[in-house]
Amino acid sequence: MRIISLNAWGGAMFDDLAPWIDACGADVLCLQEVTHTPGLGGWTRFDDADRSLPQRANLLADVRERLPHHHGLFTASDAGPVQDRQRRFHRQDFGLATFVAEAFPLVGVRSAFVHGAYTEHRDGWPNDGRPRAALAVRVHDRRAERFVTVVNLHGLRDPRGKADTPARQAQAERLADLVEGAREDGDLTVVCGDFNLLPDSTTFKTLADLGLTDLVGDADTRTSRYPKPLRHASYLLVSDPGAVARFEIATAPEVSDHRALVLDL
């Protein structure tokens, strides 16, 4: 089974992202920063106080089209205004998506907010404190004769940095509750995503208490599209490191400002 996690950056590099999706071979593909604008395709522009970015209007639909033999699950964390190329405003949902190959029975789904609650941003997107969700799927791996629970997370963004805060500790506790509620005894468990944390965060102690081992450590998980010197963001943890056949932090091709995390079990 191949599990891949990637912050898709709203599809800002979709011309590179699309062929990568076609070829990546993911049985479970966990994407963060996924957009969904009902009734709209093509490109939009996202703006907050810090950034102005091109985004796909409906990255969820774009990926579903390229993965017709996967179940596509999406949970929205918040919604706000974006502009199309004619400068017309639309309401865009923003969240997480997990795509599960139909060859693997999907036997459980659970989502929860790890920070805040769903919010409609009427006048503009804030750059601080936005809600964050996590999405868990439980699948049956027939070849390995085991159940695998995969939790997809996009962690709290704080413009002041990635250091631990009370909000991030509360996020870790909510995440742990979701993991415990989604998996069953004996499941191989994977937790992955853009955590927006430093490698020494106490979040990893909270997850270690659940028997999860981080495979990333202090490795660089950003691409050349990310100009800042702090290169930590994405992580992947497993409950049984002995089940890992291969793990890669992919440096090429570049399809986002984040590197993809590729796990073969």
Side-chain angles (χ1 to χ4, degrees):
M1 174 185 286
R2 172 167 289 181
I3 300 167
I4 300 180
S5 175
L6 173 70
N7 182 320
W9 208 18
M13 295 178 62
F14 189 70
D15 289 347
D16 300 293
L17 178 65
W20 175 83
I21 291 170
D22 293 341
C24 71
D27 297 305
V28 180
L29 177 62
C30 298
L31 298 180
Q32 304 90 51
E33 294 197 14
V34 176
T35 60
H36 173 248
T37 310
L40 187 67
W43 289 95
T44 58
R45 193 188 78 197
F46 165 90
D47 296 280
D48 67 14
D50 294 334
R51 300 162 295 169
S52 179
L53 297 171
Q55 289 185 333
R56 296 296 291 176
N58 201 334
L59 183 60
L60 176 64
D62 292 334
V63 179
R64 279 177 171 163
E65 182 177 0
R66 307 197 83 88
L67 296 177
H69 301 296
H70 286 63
H71 304 289
L73 307 170
F74 175 73
T75 186
S77 56
D78 52 355
V82 294
Q83 292 186 64
D84 63 23
R85 288 184 166 174
Q86 287 73 46
R87 302 198 174 209
R88 296 172 299 201
F89 280 94
H90 304 267
R91 305 292 301 170
Q92 186 172 86
D93 302 327
F94 180 92
L96 297 161
T98 299
F99 299 85
V100 179
E102 61 186 14
F104 294 84
L106 180 60
V107 300
V109 178
R110 185 176 295 208
S111 65
F113 279 84
V114 294
H115 177 78
Y118 177 78
T119 304
E120 290 268 347
H121 307 294
R122 295 294 177 186
D123 300 321
W125 299 88
N127 66 344
D128 188 10
R130 287 177 55 187
R132 293 300 196 208
L135 174 60
V137 297
R138 187 170 184 259
V139 302
H140 185 230
D141 184 343
R142 288 190 172 112
R143 177 179 295 180
E145 298 183 339
R146 66 187 170 201
F147 291 92
V148 181
T149 294
V150 183
V151 181
N152 180 7
L153 169 72
H154 190 194
L156 175 63
R157 179 181 183 269
D158 186 334
R160 292 172 289 273
K162 291 183 167 62
D164 281 339
T165 62
R168 283 184 165 129
Q169 182 55 44
Q171 172 181 266
E173 293 166 4
R174 287 189 180 186
L175 174 62
D177 288 344
L178 174 63
V179 172
E180 287 286 74
R183 70 180 180 179
E184 297 190 15
D185 290 346
D187 285 11
L188 195 156
T189 306
V190 177
V191 179
C192 58
D194 176 5
F195 286 34
N196 271 320
L197 295 172
L198 298 176
D200 62 356
S201 170
T202 59
T203 293
F204 298 105
K205 171 63 168 62
T206 300
L207 296 176
D209 290 343
L210 302 182
L212 293 165
T213 300
D214 172 37
L215 301 184
V216 173
D218 61 1
D220 184 350
T221 61
R222 306 305 294 248
T223 71
S224 65
R225 299 301 183 104
Y226 186 77
K228 298 179 183 179
L230 191 63
R231 311 290 295 176
H232 310 297
S234 298
Y235 298 91
L236 188 147
L237 299 90
V238 297
S239 61
D240 180 8
V244 176
R246 172 179 168 268
F247 176 67
E248 179 187 6
I249 302 170
T251 58
E254 293 193 352
V255 297
S256 168
D257 63 340
H258 291 251
R259 296 176 180 178
L261 308 181
V262 183
L263 174 69
D264 289 330
L265 296 174

